[in-house]
Amino acid sequence: GTSVIHYDMNHQIMCVFSGKKEWIMWDLQTEEEKIPMWNGYYRHPDKGRSQGSDDSPIDGERVDLERWPSFAKARWSNTTIEKGDCLYTPANLLHYVRSWGESEDDPRSFALMTMYQVEEKYNPMHCKDPPPYVALSEYDTMWGEFPGSKAVPRCMNHIKMGYPNWKQTLVKLSRNHFGEADFLKFWTSQTRYPNKLV
């Protein structure tokens, strides 16, 4: 199987447990003008933050160079990850992924990916008695619809991988109802971690 050509606005780590995945990647900081995107959400780091994840109308397996001739000049790199490999990709890295199974008789591949918000910074002042170790399986994962899903027709061609940054929304709400000091006092007064962490 294949993905669409897209970028995620979150950092991610993908680990392969079965099969293999070829990643073809383009650096939008240098190749942005050569590759069309559906929504134009990408922002060069000098111009601010991308407005969201986005994908390209280009079919990675059947590129129409008559329609998009500049794509032929876009510089790319690639790598293949196999069983036992993990790959870190930073936010806004445009990529296209091809997947294969272990054999021709079994075309399935199995991989897990986790994403990280780019704004996340560790601040020990906001932690009270943190556990020394937390397994990744203890974290919640939020999923959305894949581009082209008929279940969400208004979101066609929008990458729904990743998740909204609910912490930003919480901060905005708290500033409307509490001062920052009062909110931090409340937040740090919580004495135990919930069963699921987000």
Side-chain angles (χ1 to χ4, degrees):
T2 62
S3 71
V4 295
I5 296 174
H6 70 283
Y7 71 84
D8 303 294
M9 63 183 300
N10 302 311
H11 305 301
Q12 64 184 6
I13 296 175
M14 176 168 282
C15 297
V16 176
F17 295 90
S18 174
K20 62 182 179 179
K21 293 182 175 288
E22 178 185 20
W23 285 66
I24 301 166
M25 300 164 278
W26 299 265
D27 183 351
L28 286 175
Q29 291 186 44
T30 59
E31 309 307 306
E32 174 186 10
E33 299 300 319
K34 300 169 190 154
I35 305 170
M37 302 301 286
W38 279 115
N39 301 294
Y41 291 154
Y42 176 75
R43 298 288 178 274
H44 190 280
D46 294 342
K47 297 177 182 174
R49 184 163 188 252
S50 294
Q51 301 303 301
S53 299
D54 205 353
D55 60 336
S56 174
I58 294 176
D59 181 333
E61 295 297 309
R62 291 170 287 286
V63 177
D64 185 344
L65 291 177
E66 289 182 7
R67 188 170 179 189
W68 295 293
S70 62
F71 186 72
K73 297 175 183 159
R75 290 179 301 165
W76 54 276
S77 60
N78 75 320
T79 190
T80 300
I81 56 175
E82 300 178 347
K83 181 178 179 178
D85 293 336
C86 292
L87 177 68
Y88 166 79
T89 54
N92 299 317
L93 179 69
L94 190 68
H95 57 278
Y96 176 70
V97 183
R98 293 179 178 129
S99 302
W100 293 275
E102 295 284 330
S103 68
E104 288 184 25
D105 296 336
D106 186 3
R108 297 175 297 174
S109 64
F110 177 66
L112 293 177
M113 175 191 57
T114 189
M115 293 182 158
Y116 303 91
Q117 297 284 352
V118 295
E119 306 89 5
E120 291 297 314
K121 303 282 187 259
Y122 174 68
N123 184 341
M125 291 177 51
H126 298 278
C127 294
K128 181 178 179 182
D129 194 28
Y133 171 81
V134 179
L136 193 56
S137 61
E138 293 299 313
Y139 287 84
D140 286 327
T141 304
M142 297 182 205
W143 296 97
E145 295 298 327
F146 199 73
S149 169
K150 303 291 188 225
V152 189
R154 288 181 30 218
C155 294
M156 297 281 280
N157 298 315
H158 285 69
I159 297 293
K160 304 307 275 183
M161 295 176 180
Y163 47 91
N165 190 340
W166 59 270
K167 292 178 184 177
Q168 284 182 347
T169 303
L170 183 62
V171 168
K172 287 177 188 173
L173 287 171
S174 70
R175 285 186 180 148
N176 291 337
H177 299 286
F178 305 99
E180 183 175 349
D182 289 336
F183 179 75
L184 288 175
K185 182 178 176 184
F186 162 77
W187 190 260
T188 57
S189 71
Q190 304 305 304
T191 58
R192 55 188 293 274
Y193 282 85
N195 288 335
K196 284 286 193 177
L197 304 175
V198 289

